[in-house]
Amino acid sequence: MSLELRGITKTFGSFTANDSINLKVETGQIHAILGENGAGKSTLMNIVYGLLKADSGEILIDGKSVDISGPSDALSVGIGMVHQHFMLVPVFSVAENIMLGHEKFNKFRVLDLDEARKAIRAISEDFGLQVDPDAIVETLPVGIQQKVEIIKALIHEAKVLILDEPTAVLTPQETDELLNTMRDLKNKGTSIIFITHKLREVRAVADQITIIRRGKVVASVAPEASEGELASMMVGRAVDLAPEKYAHEMGSAILEVKNLTVRDALGTAVVKSVNFHVNAGEVLAVAGVQGNGQSELARALINLEEHIEGSVLLDGREIRGSSIKDSLHAGIAFIPESRELDGVIGSFSIAENLILDLHDRAPYSKGINISAKVMQEEADKRVAEFDIRAQSIMDSVSTLSGGNKQKVVIARELSRPIKVLVASQPTRGLDVGSIEFVHERILSERDAGRGVVLFSTELDEVIALADRIAVMYRGEILDIVDSKVTREELGLLMAGISSSKASA
Amino acid sequence: MKIRSNVEKRRLQGIAIITALSSLSFLYFGILKPGKEATTFGFVLNDEWVIIKDWVISSQTGARIFSITSLLASAIAVLALKKGRSISVPVAVASFGILMSFLTWIASGKFIPFTGLLQGGLLLSIPLIFGAMSGLVCERSGVINIAIEGQLLASAFVSAVVASLTDLAWWGLLAAPFAGAAISYLLATFAIKFSVDQVILGFVINVLVIGLTDYLYKKLLIPQQNTWNSPPLLEVVPIPILSKIPVVGPILFTHTIVVYLMVAIVSMVTFGLHKTKWGLRTRAVGEHPTAADTVGIDVNKLRFRNVIFSGMIAGVGGAFYTVGSVGAFGKEMTAGAGFIALAALIFGKWSPIGALFAALLFGFATNLQSTLSIIGVAIPSEFMLMVPYIATIIAVTGLVGRVRAPAADGIPYIRGGAH
């Protein structure tokens, strides 16, 4: 089945998310849609799947125009979608999830789960997607949950399958497995729309690549194009994919973490007796699949978690148990995982956000007043230094783009005298230009002799920036390895297989 | 280091508490402060086949026997835990032993109408159960229902008025669900269509219903009581044969239709929630509405219907206040039952059977208090009335297991909205 989009346009207020997009996916083709975050890929797919209504344009299936005004229409014409955030009910079993919306009954109008189990097994065998129909979804690893999503689409006889950023949550091995599944599906005649911003995957699997930038189709190319070409089309200018990292002398340990355990509110240990140290002038990257305790560990370093045991020594001084404020002023800079929630106060101005940490001391405050003049002068300086693009420093931060919000956070955190920078997913959801900026700043802190702890789930980022890499799995640091490690080795570690075990 | 799972930890805590209470009751009721006289338990209420004689036992001996029973049950619970079996039966037996030990002790020299105590407890819990089922149907589909109190009160009022005007209790019972549904319509419209904060909305609806019924009561029901507020009562329909069984008969099988309806509704909701299309979809929209939408389920329509249905369930419970038991409508006669029903829902972990037992427990506690004050051993009634709330606080602190509300409870669904 082929799918064609003609002149799809969608605006939100004055913002044009999709600008007359034309696209054709042939039968049995893997068609990649490549674009930065915010380029309009998800909007386009939500239109195809009926979750959003296009302002104009038409959708053609096998050359015939169809009207899709809801997901049920999409399903009935044979379009299935695997969403970036899984559309599975966590407390349901696999069978219940798959049956939802297409329930089968026995003669007493009672749900017939056996029927669903049989159908799941049949699809499992046909496509090599092994899952237990009676497993509860929330207990399954993400990779398996994704298989459930794919089975869900196939069971509804999807002939066109949309995969929205499917590799974002997977380990490298799971990613490879998914790419193989995609090839299998293609060979059995399913058309696939593969949405991503990861160049390597696109080149590995796609038959055709359409590049979207700022809501417009800028090019449609064959997968033979180089990564550099694809990246520059995606961003609209030449980009430097790998930041330059110079070898230099490292100092002694500036941050030492000993037997650090973090518990959640129910008393379950989410970080389990972790040990590591960071030298001055070194980037230690903490890699791992999302949700293995990295967020909690990052927060624990500045005492943001409630239940912390163990020891955190900053330049030889114990800081565990001190207040967050004291941790910050002892010399830790912190870039939180969610800028919107924890990094900035959206309704405050840029200038105010820039002094959140220092507002209570000279030169900003005099007695009970905050000096607006000093605040604005400092803000002007930092806006220039960190290249924050804004109309005015008095605009509220919520009006800024993600990249500029992150620059505000970085500008604030790096303007204190610091010894260690803790950055948690600092480039998540940013455009390529902003990512470059963040990477440069992280390396310049390293070169200036500070210790950097970088928490990241992006392997490319980890490999490009790190001097050493610690891999977290289920709350433990499985191993700390040199940055010359291969992607495969890292992948195994992220899946919980330590090198000692792997070689045994 | 061995890390115990939270479930295991909780079970251990539970057994520790029950063992401590058993020992305490043995020491205090059986040895330190024993009752001096005999306690009499009565078991006869109507004309059962076998008339069981009153049971007279020395307060001290009785307290000891029951405490020892509960200590034994606690020991069995420990064994069951070690073998990894369910501990609910021994724990229930132990709790019962402690309760009986307490009763024999406190009623020393007095008479306890045992059958009446349980029957009364059941009757007091009827509106709570209907209220809890109303809350359950709403909340499992993702709409918080604080307005149970309003649903109960409005339907109590309407059933009294309709039954008075028609002079038929049946009409009162039939009209009540519509009153409940009308209140639900308000809740559904504002909560689902206009995304109003559901907790505030529920409170506002309660205040509205209280104000409205107070006003009509004063202006209409009091001055013209014969026309407006003298409903006939529903008949008690004893179930043939079963109602004649001693003890069990009067407690379970000698009631008005409302009580039997309660059994039907609880069974229906339990079965429906887990075995039917309606239940699967209801749970889905309460847990992950976007997932339901993406497979073609109209989330808001289903929620709307469920909220209306919930009002109808609460309506039957409201009718119990008037045509089912007391007859005439009284000012604010539900007296917070809607909130206790909500407490039962949470204490019962949003499951129909759990909520049923929680409501029964709360009804029993209330009746125990009034029975004790009638036979002349007064515990300050305020303490007994606190029981549901204390139990709920214990429930939400996690002592009886993880209490997890439906994930999307109280969150309006807007397509394409933020995740």
Side-chain angles (χ1 to χ4, degrees), chain A residues 56-183:
Chain A
S56 62
E58 60 178 340
I59 300 171
L60 296 95
I61 300 274
D62 288 333
K64 270 175 272 167
S65 175
V66 289
D67 180 38
I68 296 175
S69 56
S72 48
D73 294 341
L75 289 169
S76 68
V77 297
I79 300 173
M81 181 158 173
V82 174
H83 298 260
Q84 189 178 356
H85 305 275
F86 296 153
M87 293 300 161
L88 298 170
V89 182
V91 297
F92 279 16
S93 71
V94 171
E96 283 179 316
N97 264 299
I98 290 200
M99 186 187 250
L100 184 66
H102 304 265
E103 295 84 354
K104 298 266 187 330
F105 318 100
N106 64 17
K107 58 185 174 203
F108 303 110
R109 300 284 294 167
V110 172
L111 289 179
D112 193 352
L113 277 173
D114 268 337
E115 182 73 31
R117 287 190 194 103
K118 266 183 225 156
I120 293 167
R121 291 212 181 90
I123 298 265
S124 293
E125 275 169 34
D126 282 0
F127 296 92
L129 299 160
Q130 290 307 323
V131 293
D132 170 14
D134 291 311
I136 301 296
V137 163
E138 65 184 347
T139 65
L140 297 173
V142 247
I144 308 281
Q145 292 192 20
Q146 192 168 59
K147 287 183 183 170
V148 177
E149 278 278 43
I150 294 174
I151 292 175
K152 201 166 101 180
L154 295 176
I155 236 164
H156 301 153
E157 289 173 358
K159 295 285 184 289
V160 177
L161 189 60
I162 304 168
L163 302 173
D164 188 6
E165 300 272 3
T167 59
V169 290
L170 303 182
T171 63
Q173 274 75 16
E174 286 173 328
T175 302
D176 288 343
E177 216 177 304
L178 175 71
L179 297 184
N180 281 333
T181 303
M182 287 166 67
R183 290 188 193 103

Side-chain angles (χ1 to χ4, degrees), chain B residues 30 53 64 87 143 172 226 297 352 398:
Chain B
K53 275 190 211 145
R64 283 182 181 173
I87 60 165
V143 180
N226 283 338
I297 295 168

Side-chain angles (χ1 to χ4, degrees), chain A residues 16-30:
Chain A
T16 306
N18 288 160
D19 192 354
S20 56
I21 285 188
N22 295 310
L23 184 73
K24 185 158 193 207
V25 184
E26 303 289 352
T27 310
Q29 187 188 52
I30 298 181

Side-chain angles (χ1 to χ4, degrees), chain B residues 296-382:
Chain B
I297 295 168
D298 190 334
V299 174
N300 285 332
K301 194 163 144 195
L302 180 58
R303 284 184 170 179
F304 206 98
R305 283 183 182 172
N306 277 355
V307 176
I308 299 294
F309 179 49
S310 99
M312 299 183 79
I313 297 176
V316 185
F320 180 77
Y321 277 104
T322 50
V323 296
S325 53
V326 180
F329 179 81
K331 186 181 174 193
E332 286 160 44
M333 71 188 306
T334 49
F339 295 103
I340 301 183
L342 197 63
L345 174 65
I346 299 168
F347 191 49
K349 302 188 210 171
W350 280 269
S351 107
I353 298 296
L356 170 73
F357 279 107
L360 284 171
L361 177 72
F362 296 164
F364 177 77
T366 315
N367 196 40
L368 182 63
Q369 178 265 322
S370 59
T371 307
L372 290 181
S373 72
I374 288 168
I375 64 170
V377 274
I379 298 179
S381 63
E382 288 79 2

